[in-house]
Amino acid sequence: MRFKWIGINGLDKVVLRDPRGSTAEVYLYGAHVTSWKNDHGEELLFVSSKAIFKPPKAIRGGIPICFPQFGNHGSLEQHGFARNRFWSIDTDPPPFPTNSKSFIDLILKPSEEDMQKWPHSYEFRLRVALGTGGDLMLTSRIRNTNADGKPFTFTFAYHTYFSVSDISEVRVECLETLDYLDNLQNKERFTEQGDALTFESEVDKIYLSTPTKIAILDHEKKRTFVLRKDGLPDAVVWNPWDKKAKTMADFGDDEYKHMLCVEAAVVEKPITLKPGEEWKGRLELSAVPSSYCSGQLDPQKVLQSS
């Protein structure tokens, strides 16, 4: 089930609702998921109280789409331009297998302005869907439609902001022992140590060749987020902490305590598409109660059962 509404500042949005009461909110500006609530009405995504819902500014929080460039890995604006464009509802999408009855198909094609910045023709199709259990699914399909025979290359991320109770009570499992690029140290390459990621200061890391499942454990809320991803080998972990938070006009000084970005991405090895070729990247998010073992959260039961 879906409804079209007028959102903040008159921007169009679509609200998805599953029969059990879970909801998701998608703005056509940026194809931006700004809300995902479980069947108890609890908000699972973080959006800053200072977020600016006004073009050309990107919305701070939710799930921004980073395309055709992640971060400053290229010559374009930070995180590319897809998150700053008005998308259209795709009324005639190609065949797409789904078991969800609550979804929206969106499409983005380049404008003349975009072609001046990034001279390539493409079709970017995005499906946002709610599963019957309240899982949130995003599937991106990007096709090279260049008529001049030229390939193009891009990086990509679902820049997901998760809502957490207290960042000091959060652990991220399944990234231990992996190599990462540290954006706070000129993208130098390191290997992660320890049993799990915990947070005591600013972090901005790109983990490489990551598993298809990652768990975020919120000790205080007794909740585990599980990310399942396909076609997205990297994972970005980001929290600005206090000093950087105070320099961000669209972010509250203390809001870093209640958010964590874990982003399914393609960064280290960019995707290259020849004309007619298509790439697909899929993300599925679940929020489940955490189990306890010796006073600690035990995500393995969650991961092994899915």
Side-chain angles (χ1 to χ4, degrees), residues 232-248:
L232 300 155
D234 304 323
V236 182
V237 178
W238 179 71
N239 182 291
W241 221 252
D242 56 348
K243 288 184 180 179
K244 186 166 186 177
K246 291 176 182 178
T247 69
M248 298 159 60

Side-chain angles (χ1 to χ4, degrees), residues 65-69 76 80-87 106-126 141-148 150-154 156 273-279:
I65 301 290
C66 301
F67 171 84
Q69 175 184 300
L76 298 174
F81 48 72
R83 66 186 185 141
N84 297 26
R85 297 294 181 267
F86 284 96
W87 294 53
L106 301 175
I107 186 168
L108 179 69
K109 296 181 181 181
S111 66
E112 291 184 8
E113 179 188 355
D114 295 338
M115 292 289 283
Q116 292 176 2
K117 295 180 179 180
W118 198 65
H120 301 291
S121 181
Y122 64 87
E123 289 180 349
F124 186 153
R125 285 185 159 89
L126 172 70
R141 291 182 293 178
I142 298 169
R143 178 177 293 274
N144 182 336
T145 57
N146 277 336
D148 57 9
K150 292 182 180 180
F152 63 65
T153 299
F154 64 91
F156 177 93
L273 294 179
K274 297 177 182 177
E277 290 185 335
E278 183 178 87
W279 170 85

Side-chain angles (χ1 to χ4, degrees), residues 55-268:
K57 185 72 175 178
I59 301 167
R60 174 73 68 184
I63 309 180
I65 301 290
C66 301
F67 171 84
Q69 175 184 300
F70 173 78
N72 58 3
H73 292 251
S75 60
L76 298 174
E77 61 201 79
Q78 174 89 350
H79 292 321
F81 48 72
R83 66 186 185 141
N84 297 26
R85 297 294 181 267
F86 284 96
W87 294 53
S88 302
I89 293 177
D90 191 354
T91 56
D92 188 26
F96 195 108
T98 183
N99 56 4
S100 171
K101 295 182 179 179
S102 184
F103 60 87
I104 184 69
D105 287 298
L106 301 175
I107 186 168
L108 179 69
K109 296 181 181 181
S111 66
E112 291 184 8
E113 179 188 355
D114 295 338
M115 292 289 283
Q116 292 176 2
K117 295 180 179 180
W118 198 65
H120 301 291
S121 181
Y122 64 87
E123 289 180 349
F124 186 153
R125 285 185 159 89
L126 172 70
R127 172 168 288 192
V128 181
L130 271 178
T132 53
D135 293 355
L136 181 64
M137 295 164 283
L138 291 87
T139 304
S140 291
R141 291 182 293 178
I142 298 169
R143 178 177 293 274
N144 182 336
T145 57
N146 277 336
D148 57 9
K150 292 182 180 180
F152 63 65
T153 299
F154 64 91
T155 50
F156 177 93
Y158 293 112
H159 196 320
T160 310
Y161 288 71
F162 290 96
S163 175
V164 299
S165 57
D166 182 341
I167 187 63
S168 64
E169 297 289 333
V170 171
R171 297 157 51 98
V172 177
E173 299 276 359
C174 308
L175 298 178
E176 52 271 16
T177 75
L178 297 181
D179 286 358
Y180 64 87
L181 306 178
D182 194 334
N183 286 325
L184 301 180
Q185 300 195 46
N186 297 314
K187 301 182 177 67
E188 191 174 343
R189 190 173 183 131
F190 298 92
T191 300
E192 187 60 62
Q193 307 296 324
D195 296 329
L197 276 63
T198 56
F199 303 93
E200 300 175 338
S201 60
E202 181 181 358
V203 60
D204 190 354
K205 298 177 179 179
I206 303 169
Y207 288 85
L208 310 174
S209 301
T210 59
T212 57
K213 296 179 184 178
I214 300 171
I216 304 169
L217 294 78
D218 190 330
H219 183 86
E220 191 171 309
K221 286 191 176 179
K222 300 181 182 179
R223 173 190 295 150
T224 296
F225 292 109
V226 180
L227 289 74
R228 300 173 182 85
K229 56 192 181 68
D230 183 54
L232 300 155
D234 304 323
V236 182
V237 178
W238 179 71
N239 182 291
W241 221 252
D242 56 348
K243 288 184 180 179
K244 186 166 186 177
K246 291 176 182 178
T247 69
M248 298 159 60
D250 58 350
F251 193 89
D253 289 355
D254 293 323
E255 288 185 328
Y256 73 92
K257 298 176 182 178
H258 305 297
M259 55 73 62
L260 177 66
C261 287
V262 179
E263 313 164 32
V266 181
V267 181
E268 184 194 25

